[in-house]
């Protein structure tokens, strides 16, 4: 890394980011992230779609923007690869959720943000700003296409992740964070820009037009805004996938049963 | 498509939207404050406080009473971190003239990192804050006059200043969690200690209450005297010592929502 001359190496934020760059230096099979050559406050990342979800097999690329106050203020994430869960080219940030007023902690890091992103992908978008609720088929199709996706500065993203490096275990603290955090788009006035580029992208992909309408509706109802539901995020480590899938399925069927009973037995 | 209406007119919105609007307004206020008030100001005569309250009888009377015990005030930026910032500045300033206590504190600070990691805080980032915290302590350990200047400089550099605040917040959170059984009684609502720490102690810009002060001063093995000045009856400026009965090493003035440093 050649930042030494460019930044004040004594500034805690610069020191911290250099350390994080060092820590994330080696790609794992789950994620990789690094600062741009000429800007320590902008990073690019690549994450693997979580297994046993709509995003399985997909590889997604994006930018991380660090505010000058980092780590006192949270990083912003921008996805670049179409994925069907988050709008692309739109800032999403680790933010408070409606149910647990949890805020960014300076002791979290870029790794934390990436883990949160991965964990948050399979959760329902629920019309939250910056969220998309594409169908499983559409997401799987996007996941397949993502392997061919290229970044202007990083090249073919499919080659960025490691094939064999085991993922670092998630600590207790991180698990707690994943249980309580919510990701949502920042309400920026540049909504229209990203809206436009999104429209372009979706039509380009020839996938569908409906997403655009959803988006437009989203923009108009900005006032009503989102209720951020805070699902207990299932961080699926491959060993207990099955357990969670079964648990969720049985819970869901239980709820459906209760609803049906209520509807028909009254 | 951007909604330009001011927050107070949007009362028909849902709660979540209110949150967002409040946050926006908060950011605006933060910006204004940071442009006009130093993180830690110069030492001023207490007379400046009297001038500030020239037209406010209640506060003026209390300021005069305060003037019998204190001669100087040092203001801090009201950004929600003022307790931690004011305390750490005043305490390090005191240690500059008290080498024995300085060494003791340095020792305690050195060991504090392992305690936090043992409690489950992420090692990687705790180390980062701890390193800078120690750097600040080491930089004010030399000759008195130079150390004073260095302290003032470091505390007005956002990076260093905020890192010290973060680390004290972590120490406070660590103390609360270590003695969770005791502190649980002081938590309102049905939050657990660790939830409370995640929501009210560790995030920056969250204001400090009694429980923060008790936990922090206990963890650092030092005493804080807070003088409370508000619109309440009488002319007394009530003193509270934290932890109870401890000899105060740092004196702070509390006015609703804000802490400044007091000097005899």
């Amino acid at each position: 890394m050649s930042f030494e001359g460019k930044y004040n190496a004594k500034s805690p934020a610069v020191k911290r980011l250099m350390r994080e760059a060092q820590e994330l230096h080696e790609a794992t099979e789950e994620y990789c992230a690094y600062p741009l050559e000429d800007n320590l406050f902008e990073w690019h990342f690549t994450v693997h779609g979580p297994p046993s979800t709509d995003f399985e097999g997909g590889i997604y690329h994006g930018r991380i923007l660090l505010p000058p106050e980092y780590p006192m203020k949270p990083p912003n994430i921008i996805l670049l690869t179409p994925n069907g869960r988050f709008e692309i080219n739109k800032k999403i940030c680790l933010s408070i959720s409606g149910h647990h007023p949890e805020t960014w902690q300076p002791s979290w890091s870029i790794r934390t943000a990436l883990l949160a992103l991965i964990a948050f992908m399979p959760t329902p978008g629920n019309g939250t700003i910056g969220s998309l609720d594409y169908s499983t088929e559409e997401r799987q199709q996007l996941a397949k296409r993502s392997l061919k996706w290229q970044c202007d500065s990083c090249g073919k993203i499919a080659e960025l992740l490691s094939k064999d490096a085991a993922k670092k275990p998630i600590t207790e603290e991180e698990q707690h964070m994943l249980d309580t955090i919510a990701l949502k788009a920042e309400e920026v006035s540049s909504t229209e820009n990203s809206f436009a580029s999104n429209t372009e992208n979706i039509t380009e992909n020839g996938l569908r037009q409906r997403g655009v309408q959803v988006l437009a509706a989203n923009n108009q109802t900005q006032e009503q805004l989102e209720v951020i539901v805070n699902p207990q995020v299932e961080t699926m480590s491959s060993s207990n996938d099955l357990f969670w899938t079964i648990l969720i399925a049985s819970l869901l069927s239980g709820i459906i049963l209760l609803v049906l009973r209520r509807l028909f037995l009254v | 498509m951007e909604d330009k209406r001011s927050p107070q007119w949007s009362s028909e919105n849902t709660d979540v939207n209110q949150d967002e609007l409040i946050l926006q307004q908060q950011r605006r206020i933060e910006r204004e404050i940071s442009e006009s008030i130093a993180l830690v100001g110069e030492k001023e005569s207490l007379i400046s406080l009297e001038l500030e309250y020239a037209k406010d009888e209640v506060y003026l009377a209390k300021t005069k009473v305060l003037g019998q015990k204190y001669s100087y005030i040092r203001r801090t930026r009201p950004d929600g971190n003022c307790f931690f910032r004011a305390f750490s500045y005043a305490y390090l300033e005191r240690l500059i003239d008290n080498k024995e206590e300085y060494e003791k504190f340095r020792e305690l600070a050195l060991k504090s990192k392992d305690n936090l990691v043992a409690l489950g805080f992420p090692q990687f980032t705790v180390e980062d804050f701890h390193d800078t915290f120690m750097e600040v302590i080491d930089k004010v350990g030399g000759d008195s006059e130079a150390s004073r200047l260095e302290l003032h400089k470091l505390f007005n550099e956002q990076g260093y200043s905020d890192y010290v605040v973060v680390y004290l917040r972590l120490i406070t959170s660590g103390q609360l969690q270590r003695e969770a059984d005791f502190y649980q009684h002081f938590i309102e609502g049905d939050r657990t200690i660790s939830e409370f720490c995640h929501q009210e102690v560790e995030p920056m810009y969250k204001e400090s209450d009694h429980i923060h002060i008790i936990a922090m001063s206990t963890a650092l093995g030092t005493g804080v005297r807070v003088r409370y000045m508000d619109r309440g009856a009488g002319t007394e400026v009530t003193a509270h010592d934290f932890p109870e009965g401890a000899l105060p090493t740092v004196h702070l003035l509390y006015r609703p929502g804000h802490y400044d440093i007091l000097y005899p």
Side-chain angles (χ1 to χ4, degrees):
Chain A
M1 258 154 277
S2 54
F3 296 118
E4 271 80 4
K6 205 171 159 200
Y7 293 98
N8 175 8
K10 284 197 176 135
S11 142
V14 170
K15 256 197 266 179
R16 159 83 176 245
L17 285 171
M18 303 267 238
R19 271 185 178 205
E20 292 205 40
Q22 194 67 39
E23 194 216 11
L24 295 171
H25 179 62
E26 270 178 43
T28 71
E29 56 169 352
E30 212 178 3
Y31 59 75
C32 73
Y34 39 81
L36 295 185
E37 292 242 320
D38 58 346
N39 186 359
L40 188 56
F41 288 81
E42 177 172 348
W43 291 40
H44 275 210
F45 71 88
T46 310
V47 294
H48 224 143
S52 315
T53 68
D54 297 352
F55 311 96
E56 176 160 19
I59 292 183
Y60 307 96
H61 192 71
R63 303 159 65 197
I64 301 170
L65 304 181
L66 288 317
E69 299 94 346
Y70 184 79
M72 305 306 150
K73 301 254 168 91
N76 289 296
I77 294 176
I78 297 175
L79 273 157
L80 298 173
T81 315
N83 53 80
R85 172 61 182 85
F86 293 109
E87 284 179 43
I88 55 172
N89 298 316
K90 179 149 193 174
K91 272 192 203 173
I92 36 182
C93 58
L94 301 162
S95 181
I96 53 169
S97 80
H99 291 242
H100 304 260
E102 191 91 5
T103 38
W104 167 261
Q105 326 249 325
S107 57
W108 293 347
S109 61
I110 291 174
R111 169 178 146 89
T112 326
L114 289 177
L115 289 175
L117 175 71
I118 296 170
F120 218 65
M121 283 190 85
T123 62
N126 287 332
T128 307
I129 291 191
S131 285
L132 300 171
D133 278 307
Y134 282 20
S135 71
T136 298
E137 293 74 39
E138 284 164 322
R139 286 173 170 177
Q140 284 172 347
Q141 208 177 339
L142 286 173
K144 271 199 204 105
R145 285 179 191 209
S146 70
L147 302 179
K148 296 203 188 84
W149 199 87
Q150 294 207 17
C151 166
D152 287 342
S153 47
C154 311
K156 274 195 102 173
I157 57 168
E159 285 155 19
L160 294 173
L161 291 175
S162 162
K163 301 262 175 329
D164 41 20
K167 46 184 163 187
K168 278 176 88 179
I170 290 175
T171 65
E172 206 179 306
E173 166 82 13
E174 284 167 343
Q175 189 56 55
H176 174 83
M177 177 282 299
L178 293 174
D179 288 345
T180 42
I181 204 151
L183 282 168
K184 67 165 183 166
E186 217 185 43
E187 285 160 76
V188 277
S189 43
S190 64
T191 316
E192 275 185 84
N193 297 338
S194 53
F195 172 60
S197 60
N198 248 292
T199 317
E200 212 176 292
N201 241 296
I202 290 165
T203 36
E204 215 177 73
N205 286 332
L207 262 171
R208 68 161 171 194
Q209 307 294 325
R210 191 158 62 86
V212 181
Q213 284 154 19
V214 173
L215 272 175
N218 241 339
N219 285 331
Q220 277 154 12
T221 54
Q222 222 174 32
E223 273 169 55
Q224 294 159 14
L225 267 194
E226 70 278 28
V227 177
I228 302 170
V229 192
N230 190 46
Q232 285 293 314
V233 181
E234 319 96 47
T235 28
M236 304 210 169
S237 77
S238 35
S239 61
N240 55 17
D241 284 352
L242 195 64
F243 168 72
W244 284 109
T245 321
I246 293 172
L247 187 76
I248 291 162
S250 47
L251 279 176
L252 272 178
S253 43
I255 293 167
I256 292 167
L257 211 87
L258 284 173
V259 171
L260 287 177
R261 205 178 66 159
R262 174 132 193 128
L263 282 177
F264 294 108
L265 287 188
V266 174
Chain B
M1 223 164 278
E2 198 194 3
D3 191 356
K4 291 268 189 234
R5 286 180 303 171
S6 58
Q8 57 268 38
W9 293 106
S10 312
S11 50
E12 74 270 23
N13 294 335
T14 64
D15 286 346
V16 182
N17 194 11
Q18 284 295 324
D19 282 354
E20 189 56 44
L21 291 168
I22 289 167
L23 276 178
Q24 274 173 17
Q25 192 176 27
Q26 228 169 14
R27 272 181 226 136
R28 222 174 13 250
I29 295 170
E30 273 168 24
R31 215 174 25 247
E32 280 167 24
I33 288 175
S34 65
E35 280 159 9
S36 60
I37 304 175
L39 285 169
V40 182
E42 300 291 339
K43 206 164 167 176
E44 306 166 46
S45 160
L46 209 61
I47 292 174
S48 76
L49 206 58
E50 284 187 30
L51 293 175
E52 189 181 327
Y53 291 127
K55 287 181 183 149
D56 187 325
E57 274 176 44
V58 179
Y59 272 100
L60 187 61
K62 292 191 176 183
T63 305
K64 289 204 163 127
V65 172
L66 196 68
Q68 294 164 7
K69 297 187 180 80
Y70 299 93
S71 315
Y72 301 97
I73 180 172
R74 193 192 290 277
R75 296 169 198 263
T76 62
R77 182 182 296 171
D79 62 358
N81 294 317
C82 53
F83 167 72
F84 289 105
R85 211 179 315 265
F87 168 82
S88 47
Y89 186 101
Y91 190 53
L92 287 172
E93 193 179 26
R94 171 193 157 89
L95 296 185
I96 289 174
D97 296 321
N98 196 329
K99 285 296 158 207
E100 201 179 316
E101 204 177 333
Y102 172 88
E103 289 303 333
K104 232 174 81 192
F105 177 68
R106 194 176 174 283
E107 205 51 38
L108 185 144
L110 260 181
K111 286 190 193 130
S112 60
K113 183 189 83 185
D114 294 336
N115 292 339
L116 290 177
V117 174
L119 276 169
F121 286 94
Q123 171 147 17
F124 172 69
T125 47
V126 164
E127 221 163 72
D128 182 46
F129 296 120
H130 181 251
D131 286 358
T132 304
F133 190 68
M134 291 313 295
E135 193 185 330
V136 171
I137 294 178
D138 287 341
K139 277 186 170 165
V140 300
D143 159 68
S144 296
E145 215 28 61
S147 294
R148 259 174 235 285
L149 290 172
E150 186 68 18
L151 179 70
H152 198 71
K153 198 182 106 210
L154 289 174
F155 265 75
N156 278 297
E157 268 179 45
Q158 194 88 46
Y160 282 102
S161 210
D162 283 353
Y163 262 54
V164 170
V165 170
V166 171
Y167 196 69
L168 283 183
R169 285 182 178 277
L170 291 178
I171 286 188
T172 307
S173 167
Q175 177 71 19
L176 287 168
Q177 296 187 51
R178 206 174 305 120
E179 311 273 336
D181 291 344
F182 172 69
Y183 290 109
Q184 184 68 59
H185 304 294
F186 301 98
I187 307 276
E188 284 166 29
D190 53 3
R191 283 190 280 188
T192 67
I193 279 282
S194 93
E195 280 167 351
F196 178 80
C197 288
H198 279 104
Q199 293 160 9
E200 306 292 342
V201 184
E202 290 166 33
M204 289 294 275
Y205 320 112
K206 288 278 183 186
E207 286 180 17
S208 300
D209 221 326
H210 284 192
I211 185 166
H212 298 72
I213 310 181
I214 296 170
M216 190 212 66
S217 50
T218 308
L220 299 183
T222 188
V224 185
R225 174 167 294 172
V226 181
R227 293 277 173 180
Y228 287 86
M229 192 152 104
D230 55 28
R231 292 218 167 268
T235 51
E236 260 317 295
V237 187
T238 330
H240 268 279
D241 289 347
F242 303 96
E244 220 171 308
L247 197 69
T249 56
V250 163
H251 296 250
L252 301 176
L253 171 63
Y254 177 85
R255 284 172 286 167
H258 186 61
Y259 295 88
D260 292 305
I261 307 169
L262 286 172
Y263 299 91

